[in-house]
Amino acid sequence: MSILASLASKSGDNEFHTPIPKSYIVGKTKYVFTFGTVMSGLGKGIFSSALAKTIQDKGIKVTPIKCEGYLNMDSGTLNPFRHGEVFVLDDGMECDMDLGTYERFLDNNLTKDNYSTSGQIFQQVLDKERNGEYLGRDAQIIPHVTGEIKLKLRELAIKSKADIVFIEIGGTVGDFESLHFIEASRELAYEEGKENVVFIALTYIIEPKTLGEQKSKAAQLGIHKIIEHGIQPDIIACRASSPVTDKIREKISVYSNVPFERIIGLHDLPSIYLIPDLIKKSKLDTHLLEMLNFTNKIDSTLEKKEIKKWNALINAIQNPKKELTIGITGKYTQIRDSYASLIKALEHASAFHEIKINIKWIDTSDLEKNPDKTKEELSDVSGIIVPGGFGTRGAEGKIECIKYVREQNIPYLGLCYGFQMAVLEFARNVCKIPNAQSTELEESAKQKVIDILPEQKKIEGLGGNMRLGGKDVEVKKDTAAYKLYDNKTSIRERFRHRYEVNPEFIPKLEEKGLVFSGKAPKHPIMQILELPTNKFHVGSQFHPEFTSRPLKPNPLFKGFIEACLK
Ligand code: GLN
């Protein structure tokens, strides 16, 4: 009998552990946990995604979940400047940017089940407490909070039908915020049986410039911190700036009870797409499957095929035939994480066209004060992108840039906010509505060309708030968008916006030549714009960057880069 079953039979009132979903079968699903030690920013999400990909390539079904320590229910209200971009899933969940990394590596659409925060977990516990579900006892971190975490993981296992669930515990071991997730991991391993769970510690090997050699002490102390919580790592992955020496691996092995061959070096690489290969070379994937007793499930033919496709991508990234400079206007110009998906989408499209892109970040608040500088600022770019954004800062400078590229017939791609700014630019300068404005920029504007339209929101049943998640877009035949999306009249893209084009102004905009080539089915919500007189002047109310995948670049990015190359 498994420990889980024996616990259930002994404790009649189920006082000490989680309610187990009825259809749950112990041992059917395996769990792989990744913890971070020493410091944050080691790329736990990237590592865990790349590892999951190497396993998925072998024909084994995987699903990831990220557990965040913070109390927010989702990432919707987080400042991208502090936390990186807010990634939006098809079901409308606003989550951590790591979920984007998982979707891209695994080429899979994830859902709210793949993302957990302390806030969500505590909310569940408090709801149960109010419903009197704790049978008169006090609600506690252990067993109720940890129980809720285990329940979430097991429900994901059932729903996803995955063979292996990859769990990334956010933060660094030692943080107060994620203690309950760490304790739940330990409990789950005890209940499931150690043969069904693998613990991976991601650590960092420092190499101080003044010493010129790698030092393992910080890593050892970080690993001890996990062991203090009753978790013995099975695998230790060592991030480092240069290849990790055997001496360091031996030392860590001796101090952590982890066999030498399972101490893996993961040094910095020029591209994250090279990580799966490094994982394979270190045999980390094989060790993992051996420990989980899963080696008989490997489909080597599929694996060969997947590796071949992936290698072609790496080859294209490493051997570009040409270089291009693309301008991106942005408020968070110092923090690249704020635009993670956008940068990735450009990377996918440039790999497709076998080129390399250099990004020039354009701070449009400067241009606002000095519009004459626009020409000079944009003189060396082959195209520009105005990405998503909120608020007023730099908006006039963005409109100035769009005017310049429209007049000079330089390729333009506007994403969400960039779509709205392109509408304003066209309304002001071509339709001669000088006061054309967005109510996001000026609430009392006279000509509300971009506005919140609650009547429309009501029709869609979404209330007055943000329109979120994947939605169908109707594409007009014989337009640039139609061609880019392989002559499809219905596509699905992801949204995150509150404002949209005011239908009152559509006839005027169209009369002057702007084409709305994508709209919401049944409602007059405009979703793609294009200007047929230009090489490429396209905007989308949705975020095409969220659906771009390494081997399937989003059509709008593909088309934009192609136009920039002409
Ligand atoms: N701020 C704009 C809106 O709410 C655009 C949002 C965005 O770019 N994601 O509609």
Side-chain angles (χ1 to χ4, degrees):
M1 194 174 356
S2 74
I3 284 165
L4 196 60
S6 83
L7 278 174
S9 67
K10 283 199 185 78
S11 165
D13 61 358
N14 195 12
E15 193 175 349
F16 297 108
H17 56 96
T18 344
I20 310 293
K22 276 212 172 62
S23 54
Y24 190 74
I25 302 166
V26 179
K28 189 164 178 269
T29 314
K30 314 282 181 180
Y31 298 88
V32 174
F33 288 87
T34 299
F35 305 94
T37 73
V38 178
M39 63 183 198
S40 62
L42 295 181
K44 269 198 309 286
I46 294 171
F47 164 73
S48 185
S49 310
L51 178 60
K53 180 194 160 40
T54 63
I55 303 297
Q56 176 175 274
D57 283 353
K58 301 177 204 293
I60 293 167
K61 192 163 166 47
V62 303
T63 196
I65 178 168
K66 167 128 199 205
C67 299
E68 285 284 12
Y70 46 67
L71 293 173
N72 307 54
M73 294 296 281
D74 57 39
S75 304
T77 54
L78 298 183
N79 180 351
F81 190 74
R82 286 179 58 130
H83 293 272
E85 85 179 350
V86 177
F87 192 79
V88 181
L89 301 178
D90 188 75
D91 64 5
M93 174 52 109
E94 295 173 285
C95 56
D96 183 83
M97 57 183 281
D98 274 343
L99 275 277
T101 310
Y102 285 110
E103 282 204 344
R104 289 186 283 268
F105 264 108
L106 300 174
D107 189 16
N108 242 331
N109 280 355
L110 302 176
T111 72
K112 61 178 179 8
D113 300 325
N114 301 95
Y115 176 61
S116 180
T117 68
S118 293
Q120 291 171 19
I121 298 288
F122 290 167
Q123 182 79 61
Q124 295 277 2
V125 172
L126 295 177
D127 287 346
K128 285 190 177 171
E129 189 275 328
R130 288 293 82 188
N131 283 332
E133 287 182 36
Y134 295 131
L135 305 163
R137 70 161 290 176
D138 46 345
Q140 292 187 304
I141 300 288
I142 305 169
H144 302 109
V145 168
T146 53
E148 217 49 58
I149 295 167
K150 290 182 284 177
L151 184 61
K152 172 118 191 170
L153 299 180
R154 288 179 172 125
E155 280 174 346
L156 174 63
I158 296 173
K159 254 198 193 168
S160 65
K161 297 195 176 73
D163 298 309
I164 306 180
V165 178
F166 282 84
I167 304 121
E168 177 193 346
I169 305 294
T172 309
V173 177
D175 291 348
F176 205 81
E177 281 81 7
S178 22
L179 274 179
H180 41 283
F181 284 116
I182 295 171
E183 168 61 12
S185 315
R186 185 196 63 75
E187 291 174 20
L188 188 99
Y190 177 60
E191 293 169 5
E192 296 285 325
K194 201 54 205 52
E195 66 283 11
N196 296 317
V197 177
V198 164
F199 291 132
I200 303 179
L202 191 64
T203 192
Y204 190 68
I205 307 299
I206 50 178
E207 192 170 351
K209 272 213 176 83
T210 43
L211 297 179
E213 63 167 328
Q214 295 184 327
K215 303 297 272 180
S216 67
K217 186 65 84 194
Q220 288 171 39
L221 294 175
I223 291 154
H224 282 182
K225 200 88 207 146
I226 305 187
I227 298 175
E228 272 172 33
H229 293 294
I231 289 180
Q232 168 61 52
D234 302 296
I235 293 172
I236 296 176
C238 305
R239 289 279 297 110
S241 51
S242 46
V244 179
T245 63
D246 282 356
K247 190 177 139 209
I248 291 286
R249 289 173 63 209
E250 270 161 23
K251 215 166 183 178
I252 292 182
S253 168
V254 168
Y255 282 98
S256 62
N257 307 321
V258 178
F260 175 74
E261 64 274 14
R262 285 199 245 127
I263 311 285
I264 311 292
L266 281 180
H267 58 275
D268 293 348
L269 291 168
S271 160
I272 63 166
Y273 301 116
L274 295 166
I275 301 174
D277 188 51
L278 185 61
I279 286 175
K280 270 192 214 303
K281 285 199 178 111
S282 67
K283 296 202 167 62
L284 171 52
D285 52 340
T286 323
H287 291 308
L288 186 78
L289 293 180
E290 272 167 11
M291 296 187 72
L292 295 172
N293 224 341
F294 243 64
T295 39
N296 56 344
K297 281 217 162 193
I298 296 174
D299 178 344
S300 314
T301 322
L302 178 74
E303 188 179 20
K304 274 198 199 102
K305 236 170 67 192
E306 293 301 325
I307 293 176
K308 201 172 157 197
K309 280 196 274 180
W310 199 254
N311 284 346
L313 170 80
I314 294 168
N315 192 32
I317 292 175
Q318 290 185 321
N319 303 298
K321 300 216 167 85
K322 208 177 160 178
E323 288 195 25
L324 274 189
T325 301
I326 302 292
I328 304 181
T329 65
K331 183 154 93 172
Y332 308 122
T333 42
Q334 292 88 15
I335 301 286
R336 305 294 141 96
D337 276 1
S338 321
Y339 296 114
S341 293
L342 168 56
I343 295 170
K344 289 291 154 209
L346 279 171
E347 221 170 87
H348 308 155
S350 49
F352 177 86
H353 290 293
E354 299 178 79
I355 61 156
K356 178 176 183 280
I357 285 177
N358 303 310
I359 295 175
K360 175 173 179 179
W361 296 93
I362 300 162
D363 186 348
T364 50
S365 20
D366 282 354
L367 297 181
E368 221 159 70
K369 288 170 226 139
N370 234 327
D372 296 344
K373 275 187 133 180
T374 310
K375 186 177 168 191
E376 191 191 320
E377 186 71 13
L378 301 184
S379 60
D380 53 351
V381 301
S382 302
I384 79 154
I385 296 179
V386 175
F390 291 84
T392 55
R393 221 192 103 196
E396 291 304 322
K398 288 174 191 170
I399 293 174
E400 207 48 57
C401 287
I402 301 170
K403 177 171 185 267
Y404 180 78
V405 291
R406 181 181 53 76
E407 289 174 348
Q408 302 300 316
N409 199 3
I410 296 169
Y412 173 70
L413 179 61
L415 313 173
C416 198
Y417 193 79
F419 164 93
Q420 297 168 358
M421 295 304 115
V423 172
L424 290 187
E425 187 281 317
F426 194 82
R428 288 183 193 177
N429 301 318
V430 182
C431 304
K432 304 291 174 213
I433 311 171
N435 298 322
Q437 191 52 297
S438 161
T439 44
E440 181 175 11
L441 306 179
E442 189 190 337
E443 235 184 305
S444 58
K446 284 201 188 72
Q447 306 283 353
K448 298 175 173 152
V449 175
I450 302 291
D451 196 7
I452 292 193
L453 296 173
E455 315 86 69
Q456 280 178 309
K457 295 280 162 72
K458 250 185 268 155
I459 302 170
E460 276 217 325
L462 288 157
N465 223 317
M466 200 96 97
R467 192 161 170 269
L468 284 169
K471 316 245 170 244
D472 292 337
V473 178
E474 209 175 84
V475 182
K476 201 175 191 164
K477 272 196 172 157
D478 303 324
T479 58
Y482 179 72
K483 265 184 231 133
L484 289 173
Y485 281 94
D486 287 333
N487 299 349
K488 284 191 197 127
T489 50
S490 176
I491 59 167
R492 193 171 173 85
E493 287 286 3
R494 291 188 200 170
F495 292 81
R496 183 174 188 247
H497 68 120
R498 200 169 273 131
Y499 298 84
E500 56 202 61
V501 183
N502 183 344
E504 261 179 52
F505 292 90
I506 293 172
K508 185 106 199 232
L509 293 160
E510 286 181 331
E511 189 190 303
K512 291 288 180 191
L514 197 67
V515 172
F516 287 105
S517 49
K519 64 181 213 57
K522 299 192 200 114
H523 302 298
I525 307 177
M526 298 304 111
Q527 319 210 303
I528 308 178
L529 69 77
E530 54 189 76
L531 197 57
T533 47
N534 276 38
K535 246 195 317 201
F536 192 97
H537 193 84
V538 175
S540 67
Q541 185 61 83
F542 50 81
H543 289 269
E545 68 273 28
F546 289 152
T547 53
S548 186
R549 304 275 163 85
L551 297 166
K552 292 178 202 149
N554 181 284
L556 294 190
F557 283 93
K558 238 160 85 175
F560 170 67
I561 299 295
E562 194 182 325
C564 293
L565 280 165
K566 273 180 194 157

